[in-house]
Amino acid sequence: MLHQIIYVSNRYCENTEVDKILEVAQIYNRKHNITGLLLFTDTKFIQTLEGDKEDITTLYNKIEKDTRHKSSVILVNDVIRERSFPSWQMASKRIGSSQVNYVSNINREEIEIFESVLNGQKENGLLVLEIMKRFFYV
């Protein structure tokens, strides 16, 4: 059964480390049939993981222990009917420095929701996912 986890965490690493994280993630995720995306700023990670519940829970537990992540908050942990990112072993996008620059079609209410998510506040999971998609689909 397909499952999805979306989490936000504080980021404690250089950009070169993010590149290494993504390289390892793509290999690991391909082997375990995990898909998703990573959005990041200078100080935050927000990530979607999709796949078998056991596989993504195991991966999330590894991420949570990684010293490059702190104060991780799960926003969504739920069963899904289909993958939102079926061909992406781990897509990524830098979304600004400490303040996100929104270049997609996003309204004021959605900006407020996304900023509250980046601050670790839980929101409607489906809405958060739709906002995350807009960073890739304008």
Side-chain angles (χ1 to χ4, degrees), residues 8 28 72 133 135:
V8 64
Y28 180 91
S72 181
K133 286 180 183 179
F135 287 94

Side-chain angles (χ1 to χ4, degrees), residues 5 7 19 26 35 41 46 63 66 80 83 119 127 135:
I5 292 175
Y7 74 90
D19 293 339
Q26 289 170 348
T35 58
T41 70
I46 181 167
I63 290 168
D66 189 323
I80 55 174
R83 294 173 190 261
N119 290 321
L127 185 54
F135 287 94

Side-chain angles (χ1 to χ4, degrees), residues 10-119:
N10 293 326
R11 173 184 163 196
Y12 292 95
C13 63
E14 299 295 323
N15 288 333
T16 55
E17 278 296 303
V18 175
D19 293 339
K20 290 177 188 173
I21 290 169
L22 290 167
E23 185 178 322
V24 170
Q26 289 170 348
I27 294 167
Y28 180 91
N29 292 356
R30 190 172 293 111
K31 286 181 183 177
H32 295 91
N33 198 24
I34 295 172
T35 58
L37 71 87
L38 173 67
L39 300 176
F40 59 97
T41 70
D42 286 344
T43 59
K44 299 283 184 178
F45 285 117
I46 181 167
Q47 186 169 26
T48 301
L49 301 170
E50 302 170 329
D52 178 78
K53 182 177 182 176
E54 185 177 323
D55 291 335
I56 64 170
T57 300
T58 297
L59 177 56
Y60 177 76
N61 289 337
K62 288 180 183 181
I63 290 168
E64 196 172 38
K65 292 174 184 172
D66 189 323
T67 58
R68 297 169 293 193
H69 297 266
K70 295 283 185 207
S71 305
S72 181
V73 174
I74 293 179
L75 307 170
V76 174
N77 188 356
D78 212 349
V79 173
I80 55 174
R81 289 186 185 164
E82 62 184 16
R83 294 173 190 261
S84 296
F85 312 102
S87 61
W88 296 354
Q89 271 65 50
M90 189 48 58
S92 67
K93 190 168 195 176
R94 182 181 184 85
I95 55 174
S97 54
S98 57
Q99 183 173 1
V100 177
N101 298 317
Y102 297 95
V103 294
S104 57
N105 185 16
I106 188 167
N107 65 41
R108 182 75 223 148
E109 179 184 0
E110 291 168 330
I111 289 172
E112 289 172 7
I113 289 168
F114 194 72
E115 289 176 356
S116 72
V117 165
L118 286 176
N119 290 321

